[in-house]
Each structure stands twice: as structure tokens, then as C-alpha cells.
Amino acid sequence: MQHQRPAAWLPYEKNPVDWGQMARRGVYALPALMLPVFVLVGLRFGFATPTEISTFAVVYSIVVSSVIYRDMTWERITRSLVFAGAASGVVLLLIMGSSCAGWIMTLEQIPERFIEWAQGSIHSQVGVLALMNLLMLFAGMFIDLPAAILLLGPLFVPLANAYHIDLIQLGVMMVVNLAIGLYSPPVGTTLFIGSMLAKASIGQTVKELLPFYGVGLIVLGMMTYIPAMTLRF
């Protein structure tokens, strides 16, 4: 029986590759492709703050689009401003909600009570690390990253010193935990932004993110219980 190719076979170009044309297109696209390079290099080597880098990216994009590609129009500028305003509004609403959640947790002294209970009930470093991770994961689901660091950092440092946990390891654990919280429901900032950009529901986005949650938790476990990964590498 003759094998039939599936109907949904991916299309492909039968003509030979024109390397000259590819080189010309690469040179033409080079100014646009350099933008993420500038952003990553600037952030990696500390040439500017994230706010300054974002401002540079906007100005660079406008200059390249207007001078080199000459496809900038007032309609595109207006549409971009409206979209940026809507995206910023979503982020501000999430920050407002997370700030309220942080204020309630502080008012009810939830972190302090948890720390007191941990010091009186748990006597092993392994158990304390697990509970610290659970609390940071829970806080990261409701509180924005800067607020969570300001809220939990002063509480976890004395606890880490009491159980002989290196503060560098604690800092890495906190960053990884709260980074997972950024794309975790119900108040994950990047989760909402990604869903809005993809024009998908939160449920659909979370369903596609399930493998990444698993990888994130595995990395968190390695950073927590293998100190060499944070202290030597």
C-alpha cells in the first residue's frame, strides 16, 4: 500500500535557496534585529536601568522606522500609544491589587506568625527551606515582586541566619520563587500581560504553561537543596 503524505503537511519551498537574496534581506533587517541585542547587552552589563533601556528602545524604533524603513505613520503611532496605554493599565491594576494584598498580609501579621510557628515547630534546615519556598510561592501568586521582596526579605534573613542558610542562596531562592509567581494565577503580572498579547484567556494560557511550571519547580528544588548551584556557579 502506497504511503500517503498527510493533508496537513507543512508547506516548503521547492526552489533552491538564493543565498544572495538571503544576505541582502539579512542586511536590510539588521537595524531592526540589533534592537534586542542593544537591550540585552545594556541590561546584562548595567549600562542603563530597565526604564532607561525601554526609553532607548522606543526612540531607536521610531528612528529606524522613520529614517531607514520609512514605514512610520501617524496611524501606527496612535495605535501603538493606545495599545501601550491599555497594557500599562493592566499592569497598574495588578500592582494595585498586589499592594492591597501585601497591606492586608502586613496588617494581619501573617508572615511574622508563620516565622514564629516555623521556629517553634520545625528543627531541620530541610523543613525550613521547604516552608520558606511554600510561603514565597504563595506570596508571589498575589503580590508583585518588589513588594514581596520588601515584605518577606526582612523576615527571612533572621530565619536563614538561625538555621545557617547562606544569604546568597536565600536571595536566589527568593528570585526564583517570585519569578514563578509572576506567571502564576490568580494575580501573575506577566501571566495577564502574556494573555492580553496572545488574545487568549487566562485558563488557556495557564494550560499551555503547565510544563513550564514543572520545570520551574524542578529548578527551584535544585537551587534550594543543592547549595553548590548557587554558591559556586
Side-chain angles (χ1 to χ4, degrees), residues 2 11 28 62 71 76 81 85 91 103 131 159 176 193 197 214 221:
Q2 187 178 3
Y28 179 76
I62 293 175
D71 57 356
R76 290 187 62 189
L81 289 174
V91 175
W103 179 79
L131 284 173
L159 187 62
V176 175
I193 295 175
L197 293 176

Side-chain angles (χ1 to χ4, degrees), residues 13-67:
E13 180 62 47
K14 297 181 180 180
N15 297 326
V17 176
D18 187 346
W19 294 104
Q21 185 181 31
M22 289 189 64
R24 289 191 297 271
R25 290 180 177 179
V27 172
Y28 179 76
L30 188 61
L33 295 176
M34 289 302 297
L35 176 59
V37 175
F38 291 146
V39 172
L40 293 176
V41 170
L43 292 175
R44 172 63 181 82
F45 294 99
F47 294 142
T49 64
T51 303
E52 293 168 345
I53 287 291
S54 61
T55 304
F56 165 78
V58 171
V59 174
Y60 179 85
S61 301
I62 293 175
V63 171
V64 169
S65 182
S66 302
V67 178

Side-chain angles (χ1 to χ4, degrees), residues 98-108 143 151:
S98 64
S99 299
C100 292
W103 179 79
I104 293 173
M105 291 180 66
T106 304
L107 182 65
E108 297 296 329
I143 307 176
L151 177 65

Side-chain angles (χ1 to χ4, degrees), residues 160-181:
N161 289 328
Y163 285 88
H164 307 289
I165 300 171
D166 193 279
L167 295 183
I168 296 177
Q169 182 184 1
L170 174 63
V172 174
M173 286 170 48
M174 183 170 290
V175 170
V176 175
N177 268 293
L178 299 179
I180 294 173

